Protein backbone atom coordinates (compact mmCIF):
# COMPACT_ATOMS: atom_id res chain seq x y z
CA UNK A 1 0.00 0.00 0.00
CA UNK A 2 1.18 3.52 -0.84
CA UNK A 3 -1.01 5.65 1.40
CA UNK A 4 -1.35 9.33 0.62
CA UNK A 5 -3.51 11.99 2.21
CA UNK A 6 -4.40 15.33 0.71
CA UNK A 7 -6.60 18.17 1.95
CA UNK A 8 -10.02 18.60 0.42
CA UNK A 9 -10.53 21.98 -1.21
CA UNK A 10 -11.57 24.88 0.99
CA UNK A 11 -12.09 22.84 4.14
CA UNK A 12 -10.27 21.17 7.00
CA UNK A 13 -10.95 17.53 6.00
CA UNK A 14 -8.61 15.18 4.16
CA UNK A 15 -9.02 12.39 1.61
CA UNK A 16 -7.04 9.17 1.86
CA UNK A 17 -5.91 7.14 -1.14
CA UNK A 18 -3.71 4.10 -1.63
CA UNK A 19 -5.24 2.01 1.14
CA UNK A 20 -7.55 -1.01 0.91
CA UNK A 21 -9.58 -1.44 4.08
CA UNK A 22 -10.34 -5.04 3.14
CA UNK A 23 -6.70 -5.82 3.94
CA UNK A 24 -4.89 -5.76 7.31
CA UNK A 25 -2.96 -2.57 7.93
CA UNK A 26 0.64 -2.41 9.09
CA UNK A 27 1.75 -0.26 12.06
CA UNK A 28 3.17 2.48 9.82
CA UNK A 29 -0.11 2.85 7.94
CA UNK A 30 -2.10 2.96 11.18
CA UNK A 31 0.27 5.58 12.57
CA UNK A 32 -0.03 7.67 9.40
CA UNK A 33 -3.84 7.60 9.62
CA UNK A 34 -3.75 8.59 13.29
CA UNK A 35 -1.39 11.49 12.51
CA UNK A 36 -3.72 12.60 9.72
CA UNK A 37 -6.67 12.47 12.11
CA UNK A 38 -4.80 14.76 14.48
CA UNK A 39 -4.29 17.20 11.61
CA UNK A 40 -7.55 17.02 9.66
CA UNK A 41 -10.07 15.62 12.21
CA UNK A 42 -12.14 14.22 9.28
CA UNK A 43 -10.80 11.67 6.77
CA UNK A 44 -12.60 10.33 3.69
CA UNK A 45 -11.82 6.85 2.31
CA UNK A 46 -13.45 6.33 -1.10
CA UNK A 47 -14.46 3.04 -2.78
CA UNK A 48 -14.21 0.84 0.32
CA UNK A 49 -16.66 -2.02 -0.30
CA UNK A 50 -16.15 -3.61 3.09
CA UNK A 51 -18.03 -6.14 5.20
CA UNK A 52 -18.97 -5.72 8.85
CA UNK A 53 -16.03 -7.91 9.90
CA UNK A 54 -13.63 -5.83 7.79
CA UNK A 55 -14.95 -2.61 9.27
CA UNK A 56 -14.48 -4.02 12.76
CA UNK A 57 -10.94 -5.14 11.98
CA UNK A 58 -10.03 -1.71 10.61
CA UNK A 59 -11.65 0.09 13.55
CA UNK A 60 -9.82 -2.00 16.15
CA UNK A 61 -6.52 -0.48 15.02
CA UNK A 62 -7.48 2.73 16.81
CA UNK A 63 -8.70 1.58 20.21
CA UNK A 64 -11.55 -0.23 21.98
CA UNK A 65 -14.85 -0.34 20.12
CA UNK A 66 -17.75 1.15 22.02
CA UNK A 67 -20.89 -0.95 22.41
CA UNK A 68 -23.97 0.71 20.97
CA UNK A 69 -26.06 -0.48 23.92
CA UNK A 70 -27.15 2.54 25.92
CA UNK A 71 -27.07 4.86 22.93
CA UNK A 72 -30.54 4.30 21.52
CA UNK A 73 -34.03 3.03 22.36
CA UNK A 74 -33.83 -0.09 20.15
CA UNK A 75 -34.40 -3.27 22.16
CA UNK A 76 -31.97 -6.17 21.79
CA UNK A 77 -34.52 -8.30 19.95
CA UNK A 78 -35.10 -5.45 17.49
CA UNK A 79 -31.46 -5.09 16.50
CA UNK A 80 -30.44 -5.42 12.85
CA UNK A 81 -26.68 -5.34 13.51
CA UNK A 82 -24.34 -6.65 16.18
CA UNK A 83 -23.81 -4.45 19.23
CA UNK A 84 -20.40 -3.20 18.02
CA UNK A 85 -22.26 -1.16 15.39
CA UNK A 86 -24.39 1.92 15.83
CA UNK A 87 -27.14 1.42 13.27
CA UNK A 88 -27.91 4.91 11.98
CA UNK A 89 -29.85 3.60 9.00
CA UNK A 90 -33.58 3.89 8.38
CA UNK A 91 -34.15 0.11 8.38
CA UNK A 92 -35.69 -2.16 10.98
CA UNK A 93 -34.67 -5.71 11.89
CA UNK A 94 -36.60 -7.04 8.88
CA UNK A 95 -34.72 -4.74 6.45
CA UNK A 96 -37.89 -2.70 5.96
CA UNK A 97 -37.91 1.10 6.00
CA UNK A 98 -39.21 2.46 9.30
CA UNK A 99 -42.81 3.60 9.31
CA UNK A 100 -43.08 7.37 9.62
CA UNK A 101 -44.42 7.15 13.18
CA UNK A 102 -42.06 4.40 14.36
CA UNK A 103 -40.69 5.42 17.75
CA UNK A 104 -37.16 4.39 16.74
CA UNK A 105 -37.30 6.61 13.64
CA UNK A 106 -38.52 9.59 15.64
CA UNK A 107 -35.71 9.10 18.16
CA UNK A 108 -33.13 8.90 15.36
CA UNK A 109 -34.27 12.24 13.94
CA UNK A 110 -32.01 13.67 16.63
CA UNK A 111 -29.09 12.85 14.35
CA UNK A 112 -30.10 15.90 12.30
CA UNK A 113 -29.07 18.09 15.24
CA UNK A 114 -25.44 19.13 15.62
CA UNK A 115 -23.76 16.69 17.99
CA UNK A 116 -20.63 14.86 19.01
CA UNK A 117 -21.05 11.07 19.18
CA UNK A 118 -21.44 9.66 22.68
CA UNK A 119 -20.93 12.91 24.53
CA UNK A 120 -23.87 11.56 26.56
CA UNK A 121 -21.57 8.82 27.95
CA UNK A 122 -19.27 9.37 30.93
CA UNK A 123 -16.39 8.29 28.67
CA UNK A 124 -17.22 9.92 25.33
CA UNK A 125 -16.22 8.79 21.86
CA UNK A 126 -12.81 9.30 20.31
CA UNK A 127 -13.28 8.36 16.63
CA UNK A 128 -16.36 7.42 14.62
CA UNK A 129 -16.15 5.43 11.38
CA UNK A 130 -19.23 5.45 9.14
CA UNK A 131 -19.51 3.09 6.17
CA UNK A 132 -22.03 3.72 3.38
CA UNK A 133 -23.48 0.37 2.28
CA UNK A 134 -26.54 1.73 0.49
CA UNK A 135 -27.38 5.40 0.01
CA UNK A 136 -30.02 7.44 -1.83
CA UNK A 137 -28.95 8.96 -5.15
CA UNK A 138 -29.33 12.55 -3.96
CA UNK A 139 -27.99 12.55 -0.42
CA UNK A 140 -28.33 13.15 2.38
CA UNK A 141 -25.10 14.99 3.02
CA UNK A 142 -23.34 14.95 6.37
CA UNK A 143 -21.89 18.19 7.69
CA UNK A 144 -18.85 18.43 9.97
CA UNK A 145 -17.90 21.50 12.00
CA UNK A 146 -14.31 22.16 13.12
CA UNK A 147 -14.47 22.92 16.83
CA UNK A 148 -10.75 23.83 16.91
CA UNK A 149 -11.18 26.63 14.40
CA UNK A 150 -14.35 27.76 16.15
CA UNK A 151 -12.51 28.01 19.47
CA UNK A 152 -9.56 29.82 17.89
CA UNK A 153 -11.90 32.43 16.42
CA UNK A 154 -13.59 33.27 19.73
CA UNK A 155 -12.83 36.69 21.14
CA UNK A 156 -10.77 36.81 24.33
CA UNK A 157 -13.76 37.68 26.51
CA UNK A 158 -15.69 34.59 25.38
CA UNK A 159 -12.62 32.36 25.74
CA UNK A 160 -12.34 33.51 29.34
CA UNK A 161 -16.06 32.90 29.89
CA UNK A 162 -16.06 29.30 28.58
CA UNK A 163 -12.84 28.31 30.37
CA UNK A 164 -13.57 25.80 33.11
CA UNK A 165 -17.29 25.44 32.40
CA UNK A 166 -18.84 21.99 32.87
CA UNK A 167 -21.91 20.91 30.91
CA UNK A 168 -24.34 18.08 31.48
CA UNK A 169 -25.12 15.92 28.43
CA UNK A 170 -27.98 13.49 27.86
CA UNK A 171 -29.89 12.00 24.95
CA UNK A 172 -33.01 13.21 26.72
CA UNK A 173 -31.82 16.80 26.24
CA UNK A 174 -31.23 16.46 22.50
CA UNK A 175 -34.42 14.50 21.82
CA UNK A 176 -36.38 16.88 24.00
CA UNK A 177 -35.59 19.64 21.50
CA UNK A 178 -37.66 17.66 18.99
CA UNK A 179 -40.57 17.12 21.36
CA UNK A 180 -39.54 13.49 21.96
CA UNK A 181 -40.07 13.21 25.71
CA UNK A 182 -41.92 9.93 26.30
CA UNK A 183 -39.00 8.04 27.82
CA UNK A 184 -39.65 4.94 29.86
CA UNK A 185 -38.35 4.74 33.41
CA UNK A 186 -35.61 2.38 32.24
CA UNK A 187 -34.58 4.76 29.45
CA UNK A 188 -34.46 7.68 31.87
CA UNK A 189 -31.98 5.73 33.99
CA UNK A 190 -29.93 4.73 30.94
CA UNK A 191 -29.81 8.31 29.65
CA UNK A 192 -29.05 9.98 32.98
CA UNK A 193 -26.97 13.15 32.41
CA UNK A 194 -23.17 13.00 32.47
CA UNK A 195 -20.67 15.82 32.86
CA UNK A 196 -18.31 17.05 30.16
CA UNK A 197 -15.95 20.00 29.95
CA UNK A 198 -16.93 22.72 27.49
CA UNK A 199 -13.35 23.30 26.34
CA UNK A 200 -11.13 20.32 25.52
CA UNK A 201 -7.40 20.14 24.84
CA UNK A 202 -6.25 17.58 22.29
CA UNK A 203 -3.75 15.17 23.90
CA UNK A 204 -1.37 15.20 20.89
CA UNK A 205 -1.63 18.61 19.23
CA UNK A 206 -2.59 20.45 22.46
CA UNK A 207 -5.06 22.54 20.45
CA UNK A 208 -8.15 23.63 22.33
CA UNK A 209 -11.62 23.04 20.96
CA UNK A 210 -15.22 23.56 21.98
CA UNK A 211 -16.93 20.36 23.14
CA UNK A 212 -20.45 21.16 22.01
CA UNK A 213 -23.44 18.97 21.18
CA UNK A 214 -27.20 19.08 21.12
CA UNK A 215 -26.92 16.58 24.00
CA UNK A 216 -25.63 19.40 26.23
CA UNK A 217 -28.66 20.62 28.16
CA UNK A 218 -27.26 22.73 30.96
CA UNK A 219 -24.12 24.18 32.53
CA UNK A 220 -23.26 23.29 36.10
CA UNK A 221 -24.00 26.25 38.37
CA UNK A 222 -26.07 28.15 35.78
CA UNK A 223 -29.85 28.50 35.55
CA UNK A 224 -30.97 26.06 32.86
CA UNK A 225 -32.63 28.65 30.65
CA UNK A 226 -29.50 30.81 30.63
CA UNK A 227 -27.28 27.80 29.98
CA UNK A 228 -29.38 26.59 27.06
CA UNK A 229 -29.49 29.90 25.25
CA UNK A 230 -25.75 30.34 25.78
CA UNK A 231 -25.05 26.86 24.38
CA UNK A 232 -27.41 27.48 21.47
CA UNK A 233 -25.57 30.70 20.67
CA UNK A 234 -22.23 28.87 20.77
CA UNK A 235 -23.48 26.12 18.43
CA UNK A 236 -24.87 28.71 16.02
CA UNK A 237 -21.52 30.50 16.05
CA UNK A 238 -19.44 27.32 15.72
CA UNK A 239 -21.37 25.99 12.71
CA UNK A 240 -20.95 29.00 10.44
CA UNK A 241 -19.99 28.01 6.86
CA UNK A 242 -16.31 28.88 7.33
CA UNK A 243 -16.04 26.15 9.98
CA UNK A 244 -17.99 23.44 8.10
CA UNK A 245 -17.11 20.64 5.67
CA UNK A 246 -20.06 19.18 3.74
CA UNK A 247 -19.57 15.54 2.78
CA UNK A 248 -21.44 14.42 -0.36
CA UNK A 249 -21.73 10.68 0.07
CA UNK A 250 -20.83 8.11 -2.56
CA UNK A 251 -21.59 4.42 -2.30
CA UNK A 252 -18.87 2.62 -0.27
CA UNK A 253 -17.42 5.76 1.25
CA UNK A 254 -16.03 5.37 4.73
CA UNK A 255 -15.71 8.60 6.68
CA UNK A 256 -13.72 8.72 9.90
CA UNK A 257 -13.87 11.67 12.27
CA UNK A 258 -12.55 12.79 15.64
CA UNK A 259 -15.39 13.57 18.03
CA UNK A 260 -12.99 15.42 20.31
CA UNK A 261 -12.46 18.06 17.62
CA UNK A 262 -15.68 18.15 15.58
CA UNK A 263 -19.45 18.19 15.61
CA UNK A 264 -21.59 16.76 12.84
CA UNK A 265 -25.15 16.31 11.64
CA UNK A 266 -26.93 14.47 8.83
CA UNK A 267 -29.27 16.43 6.60
CA UNK A 268 -32.89 15.74 5.75
CA UNK A 269 -33.92 13.29 3.02
CA UNK A 270 -37.04 11.34 2.05
CA UNK A 271 -36.35 8.49 4.44
CA UNK A 272 -39.78 6.92 4.18
CA UNK A 273 -39.11 5.99 0.53
CA UNK A 274 -35.30 5.73 0.16
CA UNK A 275 -33.02 3.20 1.84
CA UNK A 276 -30.00 4.60 3.66
CA UNK A 277 -27.89 1.80 5.13
CA UNK A 278 -24.93 3.31 6.97
CA UNK A 279 -23.08 1.52 9.76
CA UNK A 280 -20.95 3.20 12.40
CA UNK A 281 -18.23 1.81 14.57
CA UNK A 282 -17.17 4.05 17.42
CA UNK A 283 -13.82 4.14 19.21
CA UNK A 284 -14.05 5.02 22.89
CA UNK A 285 -11.80 7.57 24.56
CA UNK A 286 -9.64 6.37 27.41
CA UNK A 287 -11.05 8.56 30.21
CA UNK A 288 -13.85 10.94 31.19
CA UNK A 289 -13.37 14.63 30.48
CA UNK A 290 -14.31 15.52 34.05
CA UNK A 291 -15.33 13.92 37.34
CA UNK A 292 -18.79 12.39 37.21
CA UNK A 293 -21.48 12.95 39.81
CA UNK A 294 -24.18 10.35 40.39
CA UNK A 295 -27.42 11.03 42.22
Amino acid sequence: MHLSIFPLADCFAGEVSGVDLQQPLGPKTVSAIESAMDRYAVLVFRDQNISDDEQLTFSQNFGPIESSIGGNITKLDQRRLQVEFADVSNLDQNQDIYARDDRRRLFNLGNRLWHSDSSFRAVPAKYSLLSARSIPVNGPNTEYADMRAAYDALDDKTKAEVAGLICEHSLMYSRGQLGFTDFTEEEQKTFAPVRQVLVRTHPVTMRKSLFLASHAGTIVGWPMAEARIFLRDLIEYATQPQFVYVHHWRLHDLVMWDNRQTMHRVRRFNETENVRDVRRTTISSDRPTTAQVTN
Side-chain angles (χ1 to χ4, degrees), residues 223-244:
M224 182 175 284
E226 182 183 3
R228 288 192 174 182
I229 195 64
F230 181 72
L231 291 169
R232 178 172 292 188
D233 285 347
L234 279 179
I235 289 176
E236 183 177 309
Y237 156 82
T239 54
Q240 296 176 83
Q242 64 264 34
F243 302 133
V244 173

Side-chain angles (χ1 to χ4, degrees), residues 106-120:
L106 299 177
F107 181 87
N108 287 339
L109 290 178
N111 291 322
R112 295 187 193 170
L113 300 171
W114 285 106
H115 64 284
S116 174
D117 287 336
S118 297
S119 74
F120 53 83

Side-chain angles (χ1 to χ4, degrees), residues 65-138:
I65 294 179
E66 176 187 282
S67 170
S68 60
I69 294 175
N72 53 64
I73 60 171
T74 303
K75 296 179 173 59
L76 285 175
D77 62 357
Q78 296 177 320
R79 294 193 62 86
R80 190 174 68 98
L81 307 175
Q82 55 191 302
V83 296
E84 289 84 2
F85 285 86
D87 191 355
V88 287
S89 307
N90 63 335
L91 300 172
D92 65 17
Q93 67 271 32
N94 299 314
Q95 308 297 329
D96 294 324
I97 293 176
Y98 284 134
R100 189 173 189 181
D101 61 351
D102 191 296
R103 188 168 181 263
R104 294 166 293 178
R105 173 185 177 267
L106 299 177
F107 181 87
N108 287 339
L109 290 178
N111 291 322
R112 295 187 193 170
L113 300 171
W114 285 106
H115 64 284
S116 174
D117 287 336
S118 297
S119 74
F120 53 83
R121 298 182 189 269
V123 178
K126 179 184 177 183
Y127 298 154
S128 292
L129 303 92
L130 189 63
S131 172
R133 310 296 178 84
S134 179
I135 54 174
V137 174
N138 296 313

Side-chain angles (χ1 to χ4, degrees), residues 156-168:
D156 290 342
K157 181 180 178 181
T158 307
K159 285 181 179 177
E161 189 172 15
V162 298
L165 292 181
I166 305 296
C167 299
E168 290 191 343

Side-chain angles (χ1 to χ4, degrees), residues 16 20 28 40 118 124 155 158 177 211 234 239 271 278 295:
V16 181
D20 181 357
K28 289 184 178 180
Y40 295 105
S118 297
D155 59 70
T158 307
Q177 294 182 39
F211 192 30
L234 279 179
T239 54
E271 59 188 280
V278 288
N295 297 321

Side-chain angles (χ1 to χ4, degrees), residues 5-295:
I5 302 167
F6 58 90
L8 292 168
D10 300 322
C11 74
F12 59 93
E15 184 167 327
V16 181
S17 62
V19 62
D20 181 357
L21 302 188
Q22 292 181 321
Q23 304 300 320
L25 303 184
K28 289 184 178 180
T29 301
V30 172
S31 179
I33 292 172
E34 288 182 317
S35 294
M37 286 293 292
D38 294 340
R39 175 182 176 184
Y40 295 105
V42 177
L43 292 178
V44 178
F45 300 76
R46 300 284 192 186
D47 302 317
Q48 303 292 336
N49 186 9
I50 56 176
S51 66
D52 285 358
D53 286 345
E54 288 163 345
Q55 183 171 346
L56 284 173
T57 297
F58 174 60
S59 301
Q60 287 165 343
N61 287 297
F62 306 103
I65 294 179
E66 176 187 282
S67 170
S68 60
I69 294 175
N72 53 64
I73 60 171
T74 303
K75 296 179 173 59
L76 285 175
D77 62 357
Q78 296 177 320
R79 294 193 62 86
R80 190 174 68 98
L81 307 175
Q82 55 191 302
V83 296
E84 289 84 2
F85 285 86
D87 191 355
V88 287
S89 307
N90 63 335
L91 300 172
D92 65 17
Q93 67 271 32
N94 299 314
Q95 308 297 329
D96 294 324
I97 293 176
Y98 284 134
R100 189 173 189 181
D101 61 351
D102 191 296
R103 188 168 181 263
R104 294 166 293 178
R105 173 185 177 267
L106 299 177
F107 181 87
N108 287 339
L109 290 178
N111 291 322
R112 295 187 193 170
L113 300 171
W114 285 106
H115 64 284
S116 174
D117 287 336
S118 297
S119 74
F120 53 83
R121 298 182 189 269
V123 178
K126 179 184 177 183
Y127 298 154
S128 292
L129 303 92
L130 189 63
S131 172
R133 310 296 178 84
S134 179
I135 54 174
V137 174
N138 296 313
N141 301 328
T142 302
E143 298 176 346
Y144 297 89
D146 187 346
M147 296 295 96
R148 305 163 300 180
Y151 176 83
D152 290 344
L154 289 172
D155 59 70
D156 290 342
K157 181 180 178 181
T158 307
K159 285 181 179 177
E161 189 172 15
V162 298
L165 292 181
I166 305 296
C167 299
E168 290 191 343
H169 292 233
S170 170
L171 283 165
M172 291 187 290
Y173 291 144
S174 54
R175 273 48 186 179
Q177 294 182 39
L178 307 179
F180 188 107
T181 57
D182 61 333
F183 293 98
T184 67
E185 185 175 344
E186 180 181 359
E187 289 166 349
Q188 291 179 42
K189 291 178 180 178
T190 299
F191 303 147
V194 302
R195 293 187 168 187
Q196 309 288 2
V197 296
L198 181 53
V199 179
R200 301 186 73 168
T201 301
H202 191 277
V204 177
T205 67
M206 303 307 294
R207 287 188 68 180
K208 290 184 177 181
S209 61
L210 293 170
F211 192 30
L212 291 167
S214 59
H215 309 312
T218 191
I219 298 171
V220 175
W222 287 36
M224 182 175 284
E226 182 183 3
R228 288 192 174 182
I229 195 64
F230 181 72
L231 291 169
R232 178 172 292 188
D233 285 347
L234 279 179
I235 289 176
E236 183 177 309
Y237 156 82
T239 54
Q240 296 176 83
Q242 64 264 34
F243 302 133
V244 173
Y245 161 61
V246 179
H247 183 69
H248 302 273
W249 286 92
R250 302 178 194 169
L251 184 63
H252 303 315
D253 279 356
L254 183 137
V255 179
M256 180 176 179
W257 64 91
D258 190 337
N259 291 287
R260 302 167 300 177
Q261 304 187 89
T262 63
M263 278 199 303
H264 63 282
R265 66 176 179 178
V266 67
R267 305 306 284 142
R268 184 177 183 272
F269 73 107
N270 188 345
E271 59 188 280
T272 59
E273 296 181 8
N274 296 283
V275 170
R276 180 177 185 256
D277 186 350
V278 288
R279 307 180 182 197
R280 193 188 83 218
T281 40
T282 312
I283 309 303
S284 180
S285 295
D286 59 355
R287 62 178 65 89
T289 66
T290 187
Q292 301 299 316
V293 176
T294 57
N295 297 321

